[in-house]
Amino acid sequence: MRDQVTRALGRGRSTFAGFTTGQKAVTVLGTLALLLGGFLVFRWASTPSYGPLYSNLSASDASAVVDQLDTQGTPYELTDGGSTVMVPRDQVYATRIALSGEGLPADSDNQGYSILDDQGMSLSQDQQDVNFKRAMEGELSKTIEAIDGVETAVVHLAIPQKEVFAEEQDPVTASVLVKTRPGSTLDPEQVQAVVNLVASSVDGLDPDQVTVADATGAVLSAPGQTTGDSSRNQMVTDVQDQYRGKLQAMLDRVLGAGNSTVQVTAVLDFDDAVVETTDYSVAEGVPPRSQSSSSETYNGPGSASQVGGVVGTDGNTEVGAGGSADSSYQSTTTTQDNAIDKRTERRASAPGSIESLNVGVALDSAALARAGIDPTEVRSLVVATAGIDKARGDKVAINELTFDRTSEEAAAKALKAADADQAAADRQQLYRNIGLGVLVALMVLLAVLTARRRAKKREETTAYLVEQLRADQLGRVTATQIMEPSPAELALAESDASRGRHMKAEIDDLIARQPDDVAALLRGWLAERP
């Protein structure tokens, strides 16, 4: 086994020694590249896949977790500036359970209601109030951090002491600092949710007394500023964008892109109004709603000669003795109420209705001239598409102007230059790849030709060696006549001597490079000797 390894190494050394300088360089570089690739593959295969153990850790909690992992001998990595601890994926849950048994992470920077668990009997009222405020701030911070897009949140509460004999109390205020994750922002609904959460969690806190700011210092909500204003602005922007998009798409289709520009200003009514209307109607031929009639009838010989008496307690008048008993009096009163049609309508108008639209359109005069379009037709299209109502106060302004194409031409030139540079870079890359391919092909061809030439020389040398050995074995001796050689014979003899020296040198080189093969060849020839 040892001899085989030695012979294999010797053959390898002799083969490498027979290479040219270029072949040696290619062989060495190829071997190094193969070793490097194998090392990288082995390292990639042997490196475990890491998963997050804990995220958004405070500095103290991260330090405690890392110390415990070092004690357990668990490999880990720190990312996100040290706030996220990564461990091998197959050990995430086991490690998390083990650390939970050790009370980690302790969330020392934001403990919440756990602060109240360690209160003793000797704490003063002021200390209890401070601890309660800290607990509220911690719980609110954790609640806000649960909102999608929020990375960290800090809440500060200002709760003044209640004065017993004061008529007016200082209001409770709160401030919230929110840091969002990279690439995300809080929309107005989320800001309003933060305000409502904080205001609903603190007794006596009005939503108008909550200030919300982000990590960049921008105020998202402040006292006296409601998110309803931003919602209204967003609604106005949406309406304007909708109308502008429809009009711009239509004009681009008619005149081509870049030959027109549209701006829309919308005035919306955000009043929440309720209108109640009652209509009374009477059909033709129907009597009026209410009518009354009265009639009186008196029968008798005439007026009484003496009419008098005293009004009694029952309100009856006693007729005097001079009156006639045959007289009579009759009174009739009639009242008639007729029904009429009544319709009551109650209409509630939703906020956000359009009060007026102002549309401004600028057309490129050159594009209009090329297309042969009448601006009046464009105006009709704009009025119809936007639903312009003159009674509502809508206005439309369409003007023909000469557009400034300087920026567009500069952008086109820059784009053309960039395309030309990219094309040139692509061509250079192609030429470089072709050159490398040709160079590699030439190197391979040169190596093949060199190998063939060397193989041919080895065959010739071997054949010559065989002939010499056979001549020695058979005892062939060439007799040379002792005579004066001619110049041609001398030149031929010198050429044969030179060829013989060259052949001898190659035989010596072959014996030095492949001694085992030459020895095996000689043993084979000797074995064939009769």
Side-chain angles (χ1 to χ4, degrees), residues 158-162 169-173:
I159 304 176
Q161 294 183 353
K162 295 183 178 180
Q169 299 286 341
D170 293 334
V172 180
T173 59

Short mmCIF file of all heavy atoms in Angstrom, two decimals, residues 158-162 169-173:
data_model
loop_
_atom_site.label_atom_id
_atom_site.label_comp_id
_atom_site.label_asym_id
_atom_site.label_seq_id
_atom_site.Cartn_x
_atom_site.Cartn_y
_atom_site.Cartn_z
N ALA A 158 -48.85 63.12 33.13
CA ALA A 158 -48.78 64.23 34.09
C ALA A 158 -50.11 64.26 34.83
O ALA A 158 -51.11 64.77 34.31
CB ALA A 158 -48.50 65.55 33.39
N ILE A 159 -50.11 63.67 36.03
CA ILE A 159 -51.34 63.57 36.83
C ILE A 159 -51.19 64.51 38.02
O ILE A 159 -50.47 64.20 38.98
CB ILE A 159 -51.58 62.13 37.30
CG1 ILE A 159 -51.60 61.18 36.08
CG2 ILE A 159 -52.88 62.03 38.08
CD1 ILE A 159 -51.75 59.73 36.46
N PRO A 160 -51.82 65.66 38.01
CA PRO A 160 -51.68 66.60 39.14
C PRO A 160 -52.45 66.10 40.36
O PRO A 160 -53.40 65.30 40.25
CB PRO A 160 -52.27 67.89 38.59
CG PRO A 160 -53.25 67.46 37.55
CD PRO A 160 -52.68 66.23 36.94
N GLN A 161 -52.01 66.55 41.51
CA GLN A 161 -52.71 66.18 42.74
C GLN A 161 -54.05 66.91 42.82
O GLN A 161 -54.17 68.06 42.41
CB GLN A 161 -51.85 66.54 43.95
CG GLN A 161 -50.57 65.72 44.06
CD GLN A 161 -49.78 66.06 45.31
OE1 GLN A 161 -50.14 66.99 46.04
NE2 GLN A 161 -48.72 65.31 45.57
N LYS A 162 -55.02 66.20 43.32
CA LYS A 162 -56.36 66.77 43.44
C LYS A 162 -56.44 67.69 44.65
O LYS A 162 -56.04 67.31 45.76
CB LYS A 162 -57.40 65.66 43.56
CG LYS A 162 -57.51 64.81 42.30
CD LYS A 162 -58.62 63.77 42.43
CE LYS A 162 -58.74 62.94 41.15
NZ LYS A 162 -59.81 61.93 41.24
N GLN A 169 -59.54 72.21 38.82
CA GLN A 169 -58.41 71.30 38.92
C GLN A 169 -57.57 71.39 37.63
O GLN A 169 -58.09 71.61 36.54
CB GLN A 169 -58.89 69.85 39.10
CG GLN A 169 -59.72 69.63 40.35
CD GLN A 169 -58.87 69.63 41.61
OE1 GLN A 169 -57.65 69.46 41.54
NE2 GLN A 169 -59.49 69.85 42.74
N ASP A 170 -56.26 71.23 37.79
CA ASP A 170 -55.39 71.17 36.62
C ASP A 170 -55.70 69.91 35.82
O ASP A 170 -55.89 68.82 36.39
CB ASP A 170 -53.93 71.18 37.03
CG ASP A 170 -53.52 72.50 37.68
OD1 ASP A 170 -54.17 73.51 37.35
OD2 ASP A 170 -52.58 72.49 38.49
N PRO A 171 -55.76 69.99 34.49
CA PRO A 171 -56.13 68.81 33.69
C PRO A 171 -55.01 67.78 33.67
O PRO A 171 -53.82 68.09 33.78
CB PRO A 171 -56.38 69.40 32.30
CG PRO A 171 -55.52 70.62 32.25
CD PRO A 171 -55.51 71.18 33.65
N VAL A 172 -55.40 66.55 33.49
CA VAL A 172 -54.45 65.46 33.30
C VAL A 172 -53.99 65.47 31.85
O VAL A 172 -54.81 65.56 30.93
CB VAL A 172 -55.10 64.10 33.65
CG1 VAL A 172 -54.09 62.98 33.46
CG2 VAL A 172 -55.62 64.13 35.08
N THR A 173 -52.68 65.39 31.64
CA THR A 173 -52.13 65.41 30.28
C THR A 173 -51.25 64.19 30.08
O THR A 173 -50.79 63.54 31.04
CB THR A 173 -51.31 66.69 30.03
OG1 THR A 173 -50.24 66.75 30.98
CG2 THR A 173 -52.18 67.93 30.15
#
